Amino acid sequence: FSGPFTDVVTTNLKLRNPSDRKVCFKVKTTAPRRYCVRPNSGIIDPGSSVIVSVMLQPFDYDPNEKSKHKFMVQTTYAPPNISDMEAVWKEAKPDELMDSKLRCVFEMPNENDKLNDIDASKPAPILNTSKQDGPMPKPHSVSLNDTETRKLVEECKRLQAEVMKLTEENRHLRDEGLRLRKVAHSDKSGSPTALALRENGFNPLPSLLVVIAAIFIGFFLGKFIL
């Protein structure tokens, strides 16, 4: 019997009749309160077999205690007409009986067996087949960002050059306006030059162009940084 013995442990006993006559059998034990035997007696036909279930009741197992429980299988040839099984055993002569004795052995599974059972019960690990071998390819967005960056840098350089050009033109026009104003003040107020300047409302190029250019540069620089 293999433990643990906290619950009923069953062991099967196979009885086979190799003769050409019917055989009566009976199963006896030295500890009838500890075992339940089904069937504990019966008849086996010639060449047939019978399975006897021996059920050990739960108990507190002590590995240091040696088992003294024994079983005995007693058999005899069945008479031609069987009406009372108990009468067969009472009337049987000692030389007509055959006894087979068995000794009970209690075993507890060792720690290695427990570990093997636990490992066998564990499911096999599932491999993640979604992962690809080798380095991951770089996304296309990286190369696109590099291209956009180069374009933005070139655009910023171009705008800076235009701003410098507009600033230079604005300075030149401002100087030209100052010079014309001096000429206008030096002339008479009724002179054609002064009248033409007042009527046309001539002024140097406003700084609005510089502001617009600065806005464009700020927009592109902000896009480049982000």
Side-chain angles (χ1 to χ4, degrees), residues 43-83:
I43 299 174
I44 307 176
D45 293 330
S48 299
S49 301
V50 172
I51 301 297
V52 178
S53 297
V54 182
M55 289 164 280
L56 173 63
Q57 303 304 308
F59 72 102
D60 295 331
Y61 173 71
D62 186 1
N64 298 322
E65 182 181 356
K66 188 176 181 180
S67 173
K68 298 180 180 179
H69 299 170
K70 295 180 181 180
F71 276 81
M72 182 177 67
V73 180
Q74 196 171 42
T75 59
T76 184
Y77 285 116
N81 297 321
I82 302 176
S83 58

Side-chain angles (χ1 to χ4, degrees), residues 2-218:
S2 178
F5 302 100
T6 57
D7 201 355
V8 177
V9 181
T10 302
T11 298
N12 292 327
L13 181 65
K14 183 177 181 180
L15 304 180
R16 181 175 179 274
N17 179 11
S19 68
D20 55 357
R21 296 174 57 183
K22 290 184 178 182
V23 172
C24 297
F25 74 91
K26 178 187 289 188
V27 181
K28 297 180 179 181
T29 179
T30 57
R33 295 183 180 180
R34 301 286 296 275
Y35 300 91
C36 180
V37 182
R38 294 290 183 274
N40 59 353
S41 63
I43 299 174
I44 307 176
D45 293 330
S48 299
S49 301
V50 172
I51 301 297
V52 178
S53 297
V54 182
M55 289 164 280
L56 173 63
Q57 303 304 308
F59 72 102
D60 295 331
Y61 173 71
D62 186 1
N64 298 322
E65 182 181 356
K66 188 176 181 180
S67 173
K68 298 180 180 179
H69 299 170
K70 295 180 181 180
F71 276 81
M72 182 177 67
V73 180
Q74 196 171 42
T75 59
T76 184
Y77 285 116
N81 297 321
I82 302 176
S83 58
D84 187 1
M85 184 67 69
E86 292 297 329
V88 172
W89 297 108
K90 289 180 181 180
E91 297 174 358
K93 297 178 182 181
D95 56 352
E96 296 176 352
L97 299 177
M98 184 180 70
D99 299 335
S100 297
K101 296 180 180 181
L102 303 173
R103 183 174 62 86
C104 297
V105 177
F106 301 144
E107 293 182 352
M108 287 291 291
N110 54 36
E111 296 299 328
N112 292 332
D113 294 340
K114 290 182 180 179
L115 292 176
N116 292 334
D117 293 340
I118 293 174
D119 293 339
S121 63
K122 289 182 179 179
I126 300 175
L127 298 178
N128 188 357
T129 57
S130 62
K131 294 182 179 180
Q132 298 179 354
D133 297 334
M136 293 294 292
K138 294 183 179 179
H140 296 290
S141 59
V142 175
S143 60
L144 293 177
N145 288 337
D146 293 340
T147 303
E148 291 180 357
T149 301
R150 287 193 296 270
K151 289 182 179 179
L152 288 174
V153 171
E154 293 175 359
E155 187 68 18
C156 289
K157 290 181 179 180
R158 186 181 65 81
L159 290 175
Q160 288 177 355
E162 292 183 359
V163 169
M164 294 177 63
K165 182 179 179 182
L166 290 174
T167 303
E168 184 67 24
E169 291 179 358
N170 187 35
R171 184 170 58 254
H172 177 72
L173 291 174
R174 185 170 61 250
D175 295 341
E176 185 67 20
L178 291 174
R179 188 182 66 79
L180 293 176
R181 283 174 181 169
K182 290 180 181 180
V183 172
H185 284 296
S186 63
D187 294 341
K188 293 180 180 181
S189 58
S191 63
T193 305
L195 292 174
L197 289 173
R198 282 195 295 269
E199 290 176 358
N200 295 332
F202 179 79
N203 288 317
L205 182 65
S207 61
L208 181 61
L209 295 176
V210 179
V211 175
I212 294 174
I215 292 174
F216 274 106
I217 291 177

